[in-house]
Amino acid sequence: MSSKEMRISSAGRALTPGAVALMLMLCLSWGFNQIAVKLVLPDVPPMLQALIRSVGALPVLLLIGWVRGVRWFERDGTLWPGLSAGVIFGIEFVLIYRGLLLTSASRAVVFLYTAPFFVALGSHLFLGERLRASQWSGLALCFAGLSRSRSACRRPMLMPMCCSAIS
């Protein structure tokens, strides 16, 4: 699908209960991902886990593309950018899975949740995009929450509850 064919719908309407439930399920699955990876590390090496995940995702993506009518082999100039993005995405997962060998799942999740800060900084530095004050405030609030959650995990009495919540 080319960018000319894509239409952005209005963000002014309320989310349906089904959309909210779907987002909650998506966030829960993302939240438990690093925990699941860490739990099976003794039995399944990290790169094999990444391979299994990718092989499992391929039919889902192909089905979604088929339903949406995507022409996979149309020459529209997106092959090399798409392959480059795929390689970078693959490297990201290699680093995440290897990193889980060296740290806890809760710490890995906190590292992943810092990604929006790097994206905002990179888009400002490399693309010249400007964030509004409200967007910077939101990022600062999220960063404060991440910092606070990590400091609370240093208290022995709160550690099991807090680190489970972060994960």
Side-chain angles (χ1 to χ4, degrees):
M1 175 178 279
S2 70
S3 60
K4 294 176 187 174
E5 296 173 8
M6 292 176 56
R7 285 187 286 149
I8 299 174
S9 62
S10 172
R13 57 186 179 175
L15 291 175
T16 65
V20 171
L22 186 62
M23 285 302 297
L24 285 174
M25 288 178 12
L26 180 65
C27 290
L28 280 172
S29 71
W30 282 343
F32 286 111
N33 185 42
Q34 278 68 38
I35 296 169
V37 169
K38 189 73 173 179
L39 284 174
V40 297
L41 270 178
D43 300 321
V44 183
M47 295 307 110
L48 182 58
Q49 289 185 43
L51 175 71
I52 292 168
R53 178 183 172 145
S54 297
V55 168
L58 181 63
V60 174
L61 291 175
L62 291 174
L63 179 66
I64 291 170
W66 178 74
V67 168
R68 295 184 68 192
V70 173
R71 292 185 224 137
W72 295 105
F73 300 104
E74 181 178 298
R75 291 182 178 254
D76 59 357
T78 59
L79 176 65
W80 292 111
L83 289 175
S84 299
V87 167
I88 292 169
F89 189 68
I91 291 170
E92 174 191 7
F93 272 91
V94 167
L95 295 174
I96 289 171
Y97 280 58
R98 293 293 298 170
L100 280 167
L101 290 171
L102 306 171
T103 190
S104 66
S106 61
R107 184 167 287 158
V109 169
V110 171
F111 287 145
L112 286 174
Y113 286 164
T114 62
F117 304 103
F118 295 110
V119 170
L121 183 62
S123 66
H124 176 72
L125 294 175
F126 299 114
L127 302 176
E129 293 184 5
R130 304 277 182 216
L131 292 179
R132 295 187 307 268
S134 61
Q135 292 170 315
W136 282 114
S137 298
L139 282 171
L141 182 64
C142 291
F143 187 76
L146 283 172
S147 300
R148 175 73 178 135
S149 66
R150 290 308 297 168
S151 66
C153 283
R154 290 192 192 106
R155 297 185 190 139
M157 197 168 159
L158 297 176
M159 187 173 295
M161 176 180 57
C162 182
C163 291
S164 295
I166 291 171
S167 300

